[in-house]
Amino acid sequence: NGIVKIAEYSGRILLGGATDDSTSLLQLNGHMHLADNSEIRLGNDSDLKIYHNGSNSLIQNSGTGAVIHMSDVHSFRNAANTEQLAMFVANGKVELYHNDVLRLETSDSGATVTGNLTADGVKLGDGEFISIGASTDLRLRSNGTHGYVEHTSGSGSLILKGNSLSFRNGADNAQLAKMTDGGSVELYENNVKKFETTVYGATVTGTINADSATINKIHIPDGSSTQSRIAIGNSDDFFIYHDGQTVVANKNSTGPIK
């Protein structure tokens, strides 16, 4: 119809009635349509290829360098252009979305996650901490020598909740203390239970050393002159025990009993 579709002008090719811009070797006015698996190849060795394989669209770099995207703002959206997927802003934030809802956003102080975060593990350096609460009331940290669970608020308490609370050594091969809901509190020495509360009071396995004590009742099983006894004095000078039949009071010193 008298319309020039392909023209050559000063060594440049003009397609679809394109107007010469005096610089581009190939100028289009309209769309370029390539069949499946037909590639746009760039580079001396066709290092960069852009094509559609019938199922997926591919940008393929077969060279040794990287595929570099250059823009002050990168926005990734769905095919219908109705949902945001991700956004990258130069000198600013990175945003990641799920179902068009912002879930992760970086900032100059770190990153903010909206929702739940699931991870195989969290690793922090010495002096760094995990803070919980609007005013960072609860903190977990290590100073390189000791581990700390800190309640830093001026009010309130640090509350540990569980039907059974167990405190063990770092190697997890020795019990330190154990507390059971509706049951006993146990204290250990070198992985040997030495103190246990009961419905009547408490049971001590071993010797109680005290400067003074106010006690309503002491229950000691049948014993002998060397065990299950009440001993008084720096050298156990005076002791009392029950041998199963008789209450025995004895002394090791030479002084009188007054």
Side-chain angles (χ1 to χ4, degrees):
N1 297 324
I3 299 175
V4 178
K5 294 297 184 181
I6 301 176
E8 185 274 335
Y9 182 80
S10 299
R12 295 182 293 275
I13 299 175
L14 284 64
L15 301 179
T19 302
D20 180 38
D21 63 7
S22 302
T23 57
S24 302
L25 294 178
L26 177 63
Q27 301 166 49
L28 301 180
N29 181 17
H31 302 290
M32 175 184 292
H33 179 269
L34 299 179
D36 289 344
N37 295 306
S38 296
E39 303 171 347
I40 297 176
R41 298 183 179 185
L42 304 174
N44 292 340
D45 298 316
S46 300
D47 299 315
L48 178 61
K49 300 175 183 178
I50 303 174
Y51 62 100
H52 189 273
N53 64 5
S55 300
N56 300 300
S57 298
L58 295 90
I59 300 175
Q60 179 181 356
N61 175 42
S62 58
T64 57
V67 176
I68 300 175
H69 302 263
M70 293 190 295
S71 175
D72 287 341
V73 178
H74 288 276
S75 180
F76 294 85
R77 299 181 62 81
N78 66 339
N81 196 27
T82 58
E83 293 185 6
Q84 191 73 40
L85 307 178
M87 180 176 289
F88 304 86
V89 180
N91 301 317
K93 61 187 177 180
V94 170
E95 296 178 350
L96 300 179
Y97 291 76
H98 178 83
N99 196 24
D100 204 34
V101 176
L102 179 63
R103 290 304 186 187
L104 187 145
E105 180 180 359
T106 64
S107 66
D108 57 356
S109 60
T112 299
V113 174
T114 303
N116 298 323
L117 178 63
T118 301
D120 292 334
V122 178
K123 185 176 181 179
L124 303 177
D126 292 339
E128 299 173 347
F129 54 84
I130 296 175
S131 61
I132 303 172
S135 302
T136 65
D137 304 309
L138 177 62
R139 301 200 308 182
L140 287 72
R141 67 181 178 92
S142 172
N143 66 359
T145 304
H146 305 293
Y148 295 84
V149 179
E150 303 172 329
H151 176 66
T152 59
S153 175
S155 61
S157 303
L158 177 62
I159 300 174
L160 303 178
K161 297 176 65 175
N163 292 332
S164 179
L165 300 179
S166 179
F167 296 84
R168 298 181 62 82
N169 65 342
D172 195 26
N173 57 18
Q175 192 75 40
L176 306 178
K178 186 177 181 180
M179 306 171 189
T180 304
D181 180 31
S184 63
V185 172
E186 301 174 359
L187 302 179
Y188 291 75
E189 163 69 26
N190 197 24
N191 205 33
V192 176
K193 183 166 61 176
K194 293 298 185 179
F195 179 94
E196 180 180 5
T197 61
T198 68
V199 66
Y200 302 106
T203 299
V204 175
T205 302
T207 302
I208 296 178
N209 294 318
D211 293 333
S212 63
T214 300
I215 302 173
N216 293 326
K217 179 182 178 180
I218 297 177
H219 177 266
I220 300 175
D222 292 340
S224 65
S225 61
T226 58
Q227 62 182 2
S228 298
R229 61 179 183 162
I230 297 175
I232 303 173
N234 292 339
S235 302
D236 297 345
D237 302 307
F238 178 70
F239 54 86
I240 301 174
Y241 65 92
H242 188 268
D243 63 6
Q245 294 180 342
T246 306
V247 175
V248 180
N250 205 341
K251 69 182 184 71
N252 290 325
S253 63
T254 57
I257 299 177
K258 296 181 179 180

